[in-house]
Amino acid sequence: MGGRSRLVNRAILRTLSQHSSSSSSSPSTLPASGSGANAVREEVKSLGRAGGAILGSAVDESGARKAQWGAGWVFAAAGLVGMSGGAVGSLHTQAEEEPKASIVPEVARPASKPRVVFVLGGPGSGKGTQCAKIVDSYGFVHLSAGDLLRAEIKSGSPDGTMIQNMIKEGKIVPSSVTINLLKKAMAESNTDKFLIDGFPRNEENRADFEKVTGILPEFILFFDCPETELERRLLGRNEGRVDDNIETIRKRFKVFIESSLPVIDHYEKIGKARKIDATKSREEVFNAIDPLFRPFLETDLQRATEVLLKGIDSGDLSTYERFCDPGMTAFEPEASGHLVKGLDFHRFYFNKKVAGGNEAENFRQSTVTSPVVTLLDSNVGLVTYTRLVQDRSSSEVKAYNETRLWQRKKSALVVYKKYLLLHCKSLALDLGMYQSVTMTYNGGYSGTNDWSTHGKGNVQMKEEEKRAARECTQITRRPPKVKSFQFFVPTQHLMGVGFEPSEDSLAKPTNMLPAFRGLRDIQLSHVHQRNQNKTRFWRTHSSPTTCTSRHLDRH
Ligand SMILES: Nc1ncnc2c1ncn2[C@@H]1O[C@H](COP(=O)(O)OP(=O)(O)OP(=O)(O)O)[C@@H](O)[C@H]1O
Ligand SMILES: Nc1ccn([C@@H]2O[C@H](COP(=O)(O)O)[C@@H](O)[C@H]2O)c(=O)n1
């Protein structure tokens, strides 16, 4: 890897380890009393310290928040601005360069084992180069075994001379030394997601690491590249490394073939090796790697949501404010379906404690079920789930379908939230997370062909409209002959972009799915939501900028 980015990584590591996380602001009181909120703060604290893979900040002992960036994911609220302006595209922007130091999320990892990806490949195959990109996009901490060894030499450690000689000879340093350095760096780091580059180099490295840490990698990346190309790259690297000379390079190749390839074979056998063609350009290589890392992000978003809900349940306003952008917009059932912007509306509930209530009376617990995370791009993700809320003050379990839209920014978390209040029993996200939507187009459509590709009957869809329709829908079932279009839209799309069939909501201006905007003349006429026993219908009139819905429960 380029020495400069390695230096940057080391600087980040140092920064991360310098700050211990603790949350300081006092909790507000809805619905739990202080102890619940304290529990959340403890959790957030431990997440910040031990994990917080997508944290962009930490808080020092005095409670002053310090921004850290470059090492991880941070999210920020985009609010409806991005939506209502018809510019969902604006959500798909690059993360901001500068963090707002005052708004920082504290996210989310349960006390679990670190998630590790080993990055292997011949010398010069581009491991370090790609690790830097993965760190940027997915918030991993990059630990290069070679860098740690070189730093150990510089530190004047008693092992320094031995390590120096081994590196000059292209030999592999005893595992105990390298593993100790890795363990220390991991312990000092403020994350739970590590890219370990150039390790394990041999069978001893592999077995000892497993024994000492108990960690198995999620998978290994193997950068496959012929020696001629490796040699060309190493000789052109120009970083002043003692081992970037033809003599040592050849020795390193030999060691790689004899000692490192068997390790890769081992992971291949257990289905953990992901082979990448490293001869391609830097960008092409990254494009091949990128999908492998998306699941980490999905897990992080889900965890972030769970921590946020815990904060809400325990009345921990400070956690809530850290996650939510001040300009966040939401459709709240309590607002009768009206759009609320900003945090004031939400803050009110944090201050609402059952009068004279004790801890039990103010206790509430949410359980996330059926979570689905959809990454719109590497900066924006939707988390859709049904939230079951238990409340000790009542025997009812309430169910809400919620969608939270998270945007990666260098400052804060949560963008935009809206949810559909269901009844006391969950209507669930039936049809495998799809809701059936019936559309009528200019008063009728009688064809049964795929409406998204053929304009039939009295419908002549423009190319733009067809494209938009294809993008936003996944037709899972051919509709019967109806004078309308019927198709299935992922629930999170409907809910995430402003279409809100809520029982008590009337005439709420919302924003249509971006793709719907192309369908200017279409009237959204029915939304069906079904579960095993019942079908609910909302009659809806909509235009690209307004949407009204009325509950027409035919059950
Ligand atoms: N896909 C690529 N195409 C061309 N050159 C590349 C590519 N990827 C990296 N390089 C260049 O090749 C050289 C070696 O890359 P890098 O340092 O990332 O490799 P490495 O696998 O980390 O090496 P080592 O194991 O020796 O630390 C660098 O000069 C880098 O800029
Ligand atoms: N697990 C390891 C990793 C590296 N080394 C030694 O460091 C040299 C440079 O490593 P890079 O990953 O930066 O190329 C390598 O040739 C080894 O001498 C090691 O011993 N064990």
Side-chain angles (χ1 to χ4, degrees):
M1 159 185 198
R4 206 160 54 99
S5 22
R6 279 186 169 146
L7 281 178
V8 171
N9 284 337
R10 277 202 293 275
I12 290 163
L13 266 180
R14 264 200 312 278
T15 317
L16 288 169
S17 62
Q18 273 161 13
H19 302 303
S20 70
S21 270
S22 72
S23 179
S24 60
S25 24
S26 60
S28 55
T29 49
L30 173 84
S33 63
S35 66
N38 283 338
V40 173
R41 283 205 308 283
E42 279 309 308
E43 177 161 349
V44 163
K45 208 155 102 178
S46 81
L47 291 170
R49 197 172 41 233
I54 52 180
L55 288 188
S57 71
V59 179
D60 70 11
E61 291 306 327
S62 66
R65 203 164 287 289
K66 295 192 173 176
Q68 302 167 346
W69 51 94
W73 264 78
V74 193
F75 295 76
L80 198 66
V81 189
M83 295 297 191
S84 62
V88 167
S90 68
L91 287 173
H92 297 229
T93 52
Q94 287 302 308
E96 283 176 355
E97 285 312 311
E98 288 300 319
K100 286 183 240 160
S102 60
I103 312 166
V104 272
E106 303 267 1
V107 190
R109 99 174 170 96
S112 62
K113 268 192 188 151
R115 293 168 287 169
V116 164
V117 173
F118 291 138
V119 186
L120 300 174
S125 57
K127 301 182 292 293
T129 304
Q130 295 301 328
C131 283
K133 288 175 181 279
I134 299 165
V135 165
D136 254 10
S137 294
Y138 292 104
F140 275 71
V141 158
H142 173 208
L143 300 177
S144 155
D147 277 355
L148 290 170
L149 291 168
R150 281 182 285 272
E152 188 68 357
I153 299 170
K154 280 209 185 116
S155 75
S157 129
D159 286 330
T161 314
M162 178 272 291
I163 298 171
Q164 170 89 330
N165 291 336
M166 300 292 266
I167 289 181
K168 265 196 203 145
E169 287 303 308
K171 290 185 180 158
I172 298 173
V173 173
S175 291
S176 56
V177 175
T178 318
I179 290 171
N180 270 340
L181 294 173
L182 284 171
K183 264 178 54 187
K184 187 159 172 274
M186 287 169 82
E188 285 171 352
S189 163
N190 196 11
T191 186
D192 78 334
K193 292 187 298 185
F194 297 97
L195 285 173
I196 304 191
D197 155 12
F199 186 95
R201 258 328 206 261
N202 61 11
E203 188 51 28
E204 186 205 23
N205 273 185
R206 185 194 69 74
D208 287 356
F209 184 83
E210 267 174 35
K211 201 158 99 194
V212 170
T213 65
I215 296 171
L216 278 175
E218 306 294 311
F219 57 82
I220 68 142
L221 285 178
F222 166 40
F223 289 101
D224 192 22
C225 196
E227 280 186 15
T228 43
E229 175 64 8
L230 296 178
E231 195 176 298
R232 191 188 67 75
R233 289 184 190 176
L234 290 173
L235 292 174
R237 183 154 60 179
N238 265 335
E239 283 178 8
R241 278 176 52 163
V242 291
D243 50 355
D244 277 353
N245 57 75
I246 193 66
E247 202 187 325
T248 313
I249 288 171
R250 299 252 158 95
K251 286 182 184 163
R252 292 166 74 201
F253 287 167
K254 190 163 180 289
V255 169
F256 176 72
I257 290 164
E258 288 171 359
S259 305
S260 306
L261 274 183
V263 174
I264 293 161
D265 278 348
H266 165 83
Y267 288 117
E268 183 95 56
K269 279 193 195 113
I270 59 170
K272 282 190 180 272
R274 308 286 179 268
K275 188 168 159 181
I276 306 293
D277 178 358
T279 59
K280 301 258 168 66
S281 72
R282 292 169 180 81
E283 289 66 36
E284 285 170 317
V285 174
F286 184 68
N287 288 341
I289 294 170
D290 193 39
L292 299 172
F293 285 89
R294 292 199 154 214
F296 290 98
L297 197 47
E298 289 168 9
T299 306
D300 287 344
L301 284 179
Q302 197 180 315
R303 287 176 180 177
T305 303
E306 282 163 5
V307 174
L308 173 66
L309 292 184
K310 241 184 185 173
I312 294 169
D313 285 347
S314 61
D316 182 358
L317 180 60
S318 65
T319 293
Y320 190 79
E321 287 179 332
R322 271 198 298 279
F323 277 96
C324 299
D325 185 88
M328 183 182 83
T329 51
F331 284 97
E332 296 288 357
E334 294 89 345
S336 305
H338 286 272
L339 178 73
V340 291
K341 186 157 192 234
L343 298 184
D344 283 350
F345 189 88
H346 309 274
R347 273 192 203 106
F348 172 82
Y349 291 97
F350 282 84
N351 296 320
K352 185 175 149 261
K353 194 176 175 185
V354 173
N358 58 29
E359 189 173 337
E361 280 161 333
N362 284 292
F363 180 81
R364 197 170 68 171
Q365 174 176 283
S366 294
T367 305
V368 170
T369 61
S370 316
V372 172
V373 182
T374 308
L375 297 178
L376 301 183
D377 67 14
S378 63
N379 287 318
V380 181
L382 282 167
V383 184
T384 303
Y385 53 95
T386 297
R387 174 178 171 193
L388 301 178
V389 181
Q390 290 166 278
D391 191 332
R392 283 210 192 126
S393 61
S394 108
S395 55
E396 272 179 353
V397 176
K398 291 194 174 126
Y400 302 83
N401 275 354
E402 296 192 354
T403 294
R404 291 176 197 272
L405 179 57
W406 301 79
Q407 184 181 19
R408 181 168 93 134
K409 278 195 180 175
K410 297 270 178 185
S411 52
L413 194 45
V414 173
V415 183
Y416 173 73
K417 163 188 99 156
K418 63 202 301 299
Y419 54 68
L420 165 60
L421 173 63
L422 299 175
H423 301 285
C424 294
K425 291 185 203 92
S426 172
L427 270 175
L429 305 172
D430 64 318
L431 299 172
M433 296 299 299
Y434 287 83
Q435 291 189 336
S436 156
V437 175
T438 306
M439 285 179 133
T440 54
Y441 187 87
N442 283 345
Y445 170 69
S446 53
T448 52
N449 280 352
D450 181 346
W451 66 276
S452 68
T453 50
H454 307 284
K456 284 275 174 148
N458 59 357
V459 176
Q460 288 301 318
M461 293 177 86
K462 293 183 194 135
E463 272 312 309
E464 174 202 3
E465 294 169 343
K466 290 182 200 165
R467 198 177 47 250
R470 275 197 299 275
E471 260 171 32
C472 76
T473 64
Q474 296 194 22
I475 297 173
T476 55
R477 205 197 287 165
R478 274 292 92 238
K481 281 197 173 188
V482 287
K483 289 195 169 187
S484 56
F485 310 115
Q486 184 184 31
F487 55 94
F488 298 90
V489 176
T491 300
Q492 63 266 38
H493 282 185
L494 276 182
M495 297 170 73
V497 295
F499 181 74
E500 186 71 3
S502 157
E503 188 184 22
D504 52 359
S505 77
L506 283 170
K508 281 318 114 232
T510 63
N511 306 284
M512 300 308 293
L513 197 59
F516 280 32
R517 284 193 207 100
L519 307 171
R520 272 180 260 287
D521 298 324
I522 280 186
Q523 283 223 321
L524 202 56
S525 63
H526 290 92
V527 171
H528 305 180
Q529 194 178 40
R530 256 181 288 166
N531 71 0
Q532 288 159 347
N533 312 318
K534 42 181 155 182
T535 303
R536 290 181 178 278
F537 295 91
W538 283 268
R539 177 170 288 286
T540 305
H541 301 286
S542 65
S543 73
T545 50
T546 61
C547 166
T548 65
S549 63
R550 190 140 49 87
H551 191 205
L552 298 174
D553 197 350
R554 301 214 190 120
H555 168 61

